[in-house]
Amino acid sequence: QANLMLFIMEQASLRDLNEPLIDHAEGQFFLNEAFKIIMEEVLSNGTDVKQKVCEWKEPEELALLLDLGVRETGEPRDKLLQRVRDVAKYSVKTSHPHFFNQQYGGVDYHSLAGRFLTEALNTNLFTYEAAPVFVLMENEVLRGLRQLVGWTEGDGIFCPGGSTSNMYAMNLARYQRFPEVKSQGVWALPRLSIFTSPESHYSVKKGAAFLGIGLDNVIFVKVDDRGRLIPEDLDEKIELSKSQGAVPFLVSCMSGTTVQGVFDPLDHIADICDKHKLWMHVDACWGGSVLFSKKHRHLMKGVDRANSVAWNPHKMLVAGLQCSALLLKDTTNLLKQCHSANATYLFQQDKFYDVNLDIGDKSVQCSRKVDCLKLWLMWKAVGSMGLEERVDKAFIHARYLVEQMKKREGFQLLSMPEFVNVCFWFIPPSLRGKEGTEDYQEKLAKVAPVIKERMMKQGTMMVGYQPLGNKVNFFRVTVFSPLLSQKDMDFFLDEIERLGKDL
C-alpha cells in the first residue's frame, strides 16, 4: 500500500508521462534567438575594431549584474535571452583583432561551424559504434599532422589541452621504460629524473608532481642568451643525475617557448637522447604550426627524431579551444597498453566490427569531446596552402611591428624575435635617459601593470606582461590572428604610447 501511494503521488507531481518534458518548438525558438544574439554580440560586435575588447566590471558589480544564483523555478524566455546577451556583452571578446593577451584568439568561421556541429551532436569519442564519423576523422587528421612532423607511421590522440599532452608523453615515456609501474605503482621504481629548459611550460612541473615523479626531480638545463637549451649542459646534467643514483628517462624540449617564442636545437638534443637512450618529447604546442610553412619549418629541424610531439592547433592556426594533439612515433600501440583498463561494458571484444576502432581505451578519460572536426573542416576549407599563408603572414606582422618599434622612442626590445612573440619594455618619457639610476628597474617594473589596467578598464585592447628571470615586467604581444592587418599593428603601438605617456 505504501509503494502504491508513493507511485500515485509521483504520477500526480509529473506532467502527462506520454508527453516529453522538452517542448521542441519552444526550445528551437529560444535557440534561434540565442544564435541571433551570438552573431550580433560575439561575431559582429566582437570582431569590430570600433568596439571594445571587454566591458570591464569589478567582480562584485559583475556578479550582481549577472544575477548568478539559481532558483527553484525556471525563468521566462525573455529573461533567459537577456541572460545570454549579458554573458556575451560582459565576456572578453577573444576574436577581436586587438585581443593580444594569450596565444589563442581570432576566429575561423569554418572551424566555428565545426564547433557548433560537435556541440549539437554531443558525441563522446570512445567507440566506433558511438562515434563512427569522428573515430575515422580523428585518425585521418592525426595522420596528416604526423606527416608534417616527418613520420609515415605512428599514433596519437587529441587531449584536453597542451598540459595534458605533455603529461601523457611523460607517462608514456615512464611506462615504456618501466612497464611494471602500471601494476605495481611508483614504489617499485627507482628515482626518475626529467630534463627541460627553465623557459619550458609549467606543465612539466605539474606533470612531475601529478605522476609522483616529484618537482625535485625536474632538472633545469642552462639556456643561452636567447633562451635556447644548451645541449652540452644537458649532456653534463644527465651524467650528473646518473652519478647521483637517479634514472634519467625523458627530455622535454621546446618549439616555441611561451614567453619569448624560442625554439630549442632539436637535432643536437636528439643526439644526446640517442646517446643516453632517453625519450625525447617536443612541446610544440605554440610553435608546431611552423611545420605548415616552407619558409619557417627549419625552426623545428630534427623534430622527426623525437618520440612524441605536443601541438595545439587552437593557437596559431585558430582552430578554436580546445584542439590539442599528442603525436607519437610509436607503432606498438603504446598508448593503449599504458592506459587501457579493458572495461567490458564498453570495449567488448566480440563486436560485429573491427574493435581496433574503439579508441577510447587509449585515453585516461572516458568522456572525450570531439576536437578533430573543427580542425578538419578548416583544413578542408583552406587547404595546407591556406594554413601556410596564415603562418607566413603572422611572421610578416611580427617583423612589421618590430620595425615600427625601432622608429619610435620609448620601445625597447628584449631581443629580436625568432617567432611571432614580440617582447618589449615601454619606457615612458619620465624614465628615458635615466637607465643608470638606482630605482630605474623598480619604476620600470610598474609601467606594464599600470598600462594593462588602463587598457582593460577602457576596453581598448588586451596584451599580457610578465617578468622573466632578472628581467622586470615587460609586454609580450603575439600576432597571429587572420583578422589582423598592419593598421592593427599601428593601433597597438599608438595605444601603448597613449596609455603610458604620462607615467
Side-chain angles (χ1 to χ4, degrees):
Q1 288 178 342
N3 288 338
L4 179 60
M5 287 301 297
L6 181 62
F7 176 73
I8 292 170
M9 289 170 65
E10 287 176 343
Q11 293 283 78
S13 68
L14 296 172
R15 299 180 183 180
D16 185 343
L17 293 181
N18 289 317
E19 294 295 327
L21 283 173
I22 298 292
D23 183 332
H24 286 288
E26 171 62 24
Q28 289 173 6
F29 181 86
F30 174 81
L31 190 59
N32 286 335
E33 294 301 304
F35 263 118
K36 290 178 184 177
I37 295 171
I38 293 169
M39 294 298 293
E40 176 188 351
E41 290 289 344
V42 180
L43 298 177
S44 181
N45 294 341
T47 57
D48 184 351
V49 293
K50 298 175 183 177
Q51 301 290 327
K52 291 184 176 182
V53 175
C54 66
E55 190 75 43
W56 178 260
K57 300 290 180 185
E58 295 297 331
E60 298 81 4
E61 181 186 6
L62 183 60
L64 189 64
L65 189 152
L66 293 174
D67 187 16
L68 293 171
V70 292
R71 299 175 178 83
E72 289 287 329
T73 57
E75 293 183 339
R77 180 207 302 160
D78 290 347
K79 203 165 188 177
L80 284 176
L81 289 171
Q82 185 58 46
R83 304 291 191 207
V84 175
R85 189 174 293 278
D86 287 343
V87 168
K89 180 178 180 180
Y90 295 109
S91 292
V92 174
K93 308 304 186 295
T94 62
S95 296
H96 197 287
H98 299 159
F99 176 82
F100 305 106
N101 209 62
Q102 263 77 39
Q103 291 161 324
Y104 64 87
V107 62
D108 177 277
Y109 292 101
H110 300 100
S111 172
L112 185 58
R115 292 154 72 189
F116 285 152
L117 181 54
T118 54
E119 290 302 314
L121 287 169
N122 197 35
T123 301
N124 192 337
L125 215 174
F126 49 23
T127 63
Y128 183 77
E129 63 187 275
V133 172
F134 300 126
V135 165
L136 300 180
M137 184 183 291
E138 180 172 272
N139 285 337
E140 182 60 27
V141 172
L142 290 169
R143 185 188 67 81
L145 295 175
R146 284 195 304 269
Q147 284 185 333
L148 289 165
V149 170
W151 300 332
T152 56
E153 296 181 290
D155 202 353
I157 193 169
F158 277 90
C159 301
S163 291
T164 305
S165 297
N166 291 334
M167 291 182 198
Y168 264 63
M170 202 176 293
N171 198 38
L172 289 165
R174 182 175 65 175
Y175 175 80
Q176 185 191 57
R177 185 76 174 268
F178 299 101
E180 61 270 25
V181 69
K182 184 173 180 178
S183 56
Q184 298 179 31
V186 295
W187 71 270
L189 301 181
R191 179 163 61 90
L192 304 177
S193 54
I194 294 167
F195 302 83
T196 194
S197 156
E199 298 201 18
S200 64
H201 193 258
Y202 62 85
S203 58
V204 176
K205 293 191 292 185
K206 286 200 301 183
F210 184 74
L211 293 170
I213 294 164
L215 295 177
D216 292 346
N217 296 311
V218 177
I219 298 171
F220 292 108
V221 180
K222 290 179 183 177
V223 296
D224 62 20
D225 56 359
R226 294 295 303 275
R228 290 180 290 241
L229 185 146
I230 299 173
E232 293 77 12
D233 189 60
L234 172 63
D235 194 28
E236 290 177 11
K237 282 193 164 61
I238 292 171
E239 294 286 6
L240 178 61
S241 182
K242 288 179 179 179
S243 71
Q244 294 172 340
V247 177
F249 78 105
L250 177 136
V251 176
S252 183
C253 37
M254 298 297 301
S255 283
T257 56
T258 303
V259 178
Q260 297 192 84
V262 171
F263 290 75
D264 287 336
L266 302 183
D267 248 341
H268 292 151
I269 294 171
D271 290 340
I272 294 168
C273 289
D274 287 347
K275 172 184 173 182
H276 295 282
K277 295 181 172 53
L278 305 187
W279 182 290
M280 177 179 169
H281 174 63
V282 178
D283 178 351
C285 290
W286 175 220
S289 297
V290 301
L291 293 173
F292 274 101
S293 170
K294 289 184 285 291
K295 293 180 182 177
H296 302 291
R297 64 174 294 121
H298 68 273
L299 292 169
M300 290 183 64
K301 184 178 181 296
V303 67
D304 57 303
R305 299 177 64 188
N307 297 93
S308 56
V309 176
W311 182 355
N312 287 2
H314 70 233
K315 292 184 175 176
M316 197 173 195
L317 296 182
V318 198
L321 290 165
Q322 61 194 29
C323 190
S324 305
L326 174 68
L327 308 174
L328 299 170
K329 185 186 288 186
D330 174 75
T331 57
T332 67
N333 214 11
L334 190 68
L335 258 176
K336 187 173 182 180
Q337 292 174 45
C338 182
H339 297 138
S340 65
N342 299 313
T344 54
Y345 74 93
L346 197 57
F347 305 115
Q348 304 93 336
Q349 297 303 295
D350 54 357
K351 291 183 178 180
F352 61 94
Y353 58 83
D354 181 1
V355 295
N356 290 317
L357 293 169
D358 288 352
I359 57 177
D361 233 5
K362 292 181 178 182
S363 169
V364 295
Q365 303 166 254
C366 179
S367 300
R368 189 162 68 95
K369 292 176 69 68
V370 174
D371 291 325
C372 58
L373 175 60
K374 64 194 83 170
L375 175 57
W376 178 81
L377 202 56
M378 179 177 70
W379 203 340
K380 294 285 276 189
V382 304
S384 296
M385 292 177 62
L387 297 177
E388 178 181 27
E389 185 178 9
R390 291 184 186 184
V391 173
D392 291 345
K393 187 177 179 182
F395 276 86
I396 292 170
H397 281 323
R399 285 198 295 269
Y400 176 82
L401 190 61
V402 167
E403 292 307 311
Q404 294 305 307
M405 280 185 181
K406 291 178 179 178
K407 297 176 183 178
R408 300 191 186 213
E409 192 176 2
F411 289 90
Q412 181 183 335
L413 289 165
L414 266 72
S415 60
M416 283 296 293
E418 183 176 28
F419 192 29
V420 298
N421 303 41
V422 181
C423 298
F424 68 95
W425 289 282
F426 177 71
I427 318 297
S430 66
L431 288 180
R432 292 171 195 169
K434 300 181 179 179
E435 289 79 4
T437 57
E438 183 178 350
D439 58 352
Y440 176 80
Q441 291 294 319
E442 181 183 350
K443 288 182 177 179
L444 181 60
K446 297 176 181 178
V447 172
V450 174
I451 292 177
K452 176 66 177 280
E453 179 182 357
R454 290 178 175 183
M455 72 174 69
M456 289 289 292
K457 289 184 174 179
Q458 295 176 33
T460 54
M461 67 180 186
M462 284 181 66
V463 62
Y465 71 86
Q466 63 281 302
L468 182 67
N470 61 356
K471 299 178 177 67
V472 299
N473 286 326
F474 56 88
F475 288 110
R476 177 204 62 179
V477 57
T478 54
V479 289
F480 59 91
S481 168
L483 299 180
L484 287 175
S485 68
Q486 288 190 350
K487 289 181 180 178
D488 297 307
M489 303 296 95
D490 294 332
F491 172 86
F492 175 82
L493 297 174
D494 292 341
E495 189 65 2
I496 292 289
E497 287 179 334
R498 182 185 75 84
L499 294 168
K501 64 184 179 182
D502 64 333
L503 294 180

